[in-house]
Amino acid sequence: MREITVNKNDSGQRLDKFLTKCIKGLPVSLMYKYLRKKRIKLNGHRADGADMLSEGDVITLYIPDEFADEKRGTEENFLSKPVLSIVYEDSNIILLSKKPGQLVHDGDGDDGGNTLIRHLKSYLYLKGEYDPEKENSFAPSLCNRIDRNTGGIVIAAKNAETLRYVNEAIKENATDKRYLCAVHGRPCKDNAVLEAHLFKNTKTKTVRVSDTPTRGSKPIKTGYKVIDYNAKLDLSLIEVRLYTGRTHQIRAHMAYLGYPLLGEGKYGVNKDDRRLFYKHQALYSYKLTFKEKEGVLSYLCDRTFCADDADIRFLEFFRKEKYGSLFK
């Protein structure tokens, strides 16, 4: 027999979801069988997988030791000197500015363990804010993803309540993200909101943009504003707002319009990219605003956070007096 006491980060979720995170290797079918046969109890009573957990609840497991004595997952390997560019931090949330070239999650590719999530966990462990030995089902988590070769603000939750809040906020469009990019050429309009259709090819991991819908395509809507133009290099600095969030939307849509991003390798190739020593697409999610929403982070509503302009390498091609106000 084993007993698990539900802590604050475990509460607010279904029992079956908790068990799949907490109990190592327990097949889902076997878990439901043990629930039916009362070999998993909640506060001494018969339990149902749909039961919602509260802090202080006690789960009793009458299941084989091979499952009952171990938690899911492996021992954490923490970095001794994590490196993070922190935009904002409090007891619930941390906003990180990810550099181009870095993976966000383990398992996304061979990155030698140099992932953003690993640096985050190591940082919080060394601060004493995260101890995996005291957690049953929760670990600090990234709430949004950014492509390896794109930079920008990533939201990370320090506790389960914040993770649920941010996930809901993103789903409800209660966050406003703005991007900066450098593109080849100068758009004929300084401001525009454009609609098109995007088809995702899962085999090639690329997308295709067209003016008319095709089978399997989805509508996209992209707004942009020209901030500055470098005539010598024929580069434009553009602020982008996404009204839809499709895969590679900014990169593919701008290339389709005839203005591929500096450093773009999939949707446009320009010899000047190599001359300028630019190997990552010049795209950065630089600004984040939390809109009005009740809950654990309501104190951040209407607050705007910006990455450090020094983190955005392609700004060196433009005049600071033109873009400086964007970061205030």
Side-chain angles (χ1 to χ4, degrees):
M1 183 192 79
R2 176 188 170 195
E3 286 189 347
I4 302 173
T5 300
V6 174
N7 64 32
K8 185 175 181 180
N9 280 328
D10 301 326
S11 64
Q13 63 181 312
R14 288 169 51 123
L15 174 60
D16 53 3
K17 299 297 184 184
F18 169 79
L19 292 173
T20 59
K21 299 173 188 174
C22 180
I23 308 302
K24 180 181 179 180
L26 178 62
V28 173
S29 59
L30 193 55
M31 175 187 68
Y32 285 116
K33 178 181 178 180
Y34 289 154
L35 285 167
R36 290 193 304 271
K37 291 184 174 294
K38 304 179 187 178
R39 295 176 66 177
I40 299 177
K41 293 186 176 183
L42 181 61
N43 297 322
H45 302 288
R46 180 172 185 167
D48 184 274
D51 289 339
M52 298 299 293
L53 298 179
S54 299
E55 186 175 3
D57 284 346
V58 177
I59 302 166
T60 308
L61 305 169
Y62 300 93
I63 64 178
D65 291 344
E66 63 183 290
F67 301 129
D69 291 341
E70 297 186 57
K71 294 181 181 180
R72 178 179 295 277
T74 58
E75 183 179 350
E76 298 268 14
N77 292 315
F78 295 110
L79 301 169
S80 60
K81 294 182 179 180
V83 178
L84 295 172
S85 179
I86 299 174
V87 176
Y88 172 81
E89 181 181 9
D90 62 30
S91 60
N92 293 314
I93 195 171
I94 181 168
L95 305 181
L96 305 170
S97 183
K98 185 190 83 70
K99 303 298 190 297
Q102 184 180 38
L103 290 169
V104 291
H105 285 120
D106 297 333
D108 286 345
D110 184 8
D111 202 38
N114 188 36
T115 57
L116 187 65
I117 187 62
R118 190 177 178 201
H119 281 268
L120 171 67
K121 288 181 178 180
S122 298
Y123 169 77
L124 295 177
Y125 177 76
L126 292 173
K127 282 189 69 180
E129 294 189 32
Y130 170 53
D131 184 352
E133 293 300 317
K134 295 180 180 179
E135 295 291 345
N136 295 310
S137 65
F138 178 78
S141 301
L142 305 179
C143 305
N144 61 309
R145 300 173 70 96
I146 292 182
D147 289 344
R148 179 173 191 161
N149 292 325
T150 299
I153 296 177
V154 177
I155 308 170
K158 292 185 177 183
N159 54 64
E161 186 179 10
T162 298
L163 180 61
R164 288 191 291 269
Y165 178 97
V166 175
N167 285 341
E168 290 176 2
I170 292 173
K171 187 176 181 180
E172 297 167 3
N173 292 319
T175 60
D176 181 9
K177 291 187 294 182
R178 301 298 172 98
Y179 298 79
L180 285 176
C181 62
V183 303
H184 291 285
R186 182 168 187 169
C188 54
K189 293 183 179 180
D190 286 342
N191 287 275
V193 177
L194 303 171
E195 298 184 40
H197 298 269
L198 181 147
F199 173 80
K200 182 178 180 180
N201 188 322
T202 56
K203 292 183 179 180
T204 63
K205 296 183 180 180
T206 60
V207 301
R208 183 179 70 250
V209 175
S210 61
D211 287 330
T212 56
T214 59
R215 185 178 180 181
S217 67
K218 295 182 178 180
I220 59 172
K221 187 176 182 180
T222 309
Y224 76 83
K225 177 172 65 175
V226 177
I227 305 299
D228 195 12
Y229 176 65
N230 184 326
K232 183 177 179 180
L233 298 176
D234 192 26
L235 292 176
S236 294
L237 177 65
I238 291 177
E239 183 187 55
V240 176
R241 178 183 180 185
L242 290 179
Y243 294 88
T244 55
R246 310 296 185 196
T247 300
H248 297 172
Q249 180 176 327
I250 295 174
R251 298 167 59 190
H253 204 171
M254 295 308 299
Y256 176 73
L257 296 172
Y259 312 107
L261 270 62
L262 171 68
E264 177 61 68
K266 284 190 175 182
Y267 304 106
V269 178
N270 191 297
K271 62 181 180 180
D272 288 335
D273 295 353
R274 294 188 294 274
R275 182 171 61 82
L276 296 172
F277 302 102
Y278 222 92
K279 63 180 181 178
H280 303 304
Q281 61 260 15
L283 178 63
Y284 216 96
S285 177
Y286 86 105
K287 181 182 289 187
L288 171 70
T289 300
F290 289 93
K291 300 179 183 178
E292 186 174 351
K293 177 177 169 61
E294 291 299 318
V296 65
L297 296 184
S298 59
Y299 58 89
L300 293 181
C301 291
D302 296 324
R303 288 193 60 181
T304 297
F305 301 93
C306 294
D308 189 334
D309 60 353
D311 289 341
I312 309 176
R313 185 191 152 206
F314 57 83
L315 289 178
E316 67 185 1
F317 301 124
F318 303 97
R319 294 164 291 179
K320 190 166 186 176
E321 65 270 19
K322 289 287 186 177
Y323 67 79
S325 62
L326 297 173
F327 293 84
K328 295 179 180 178

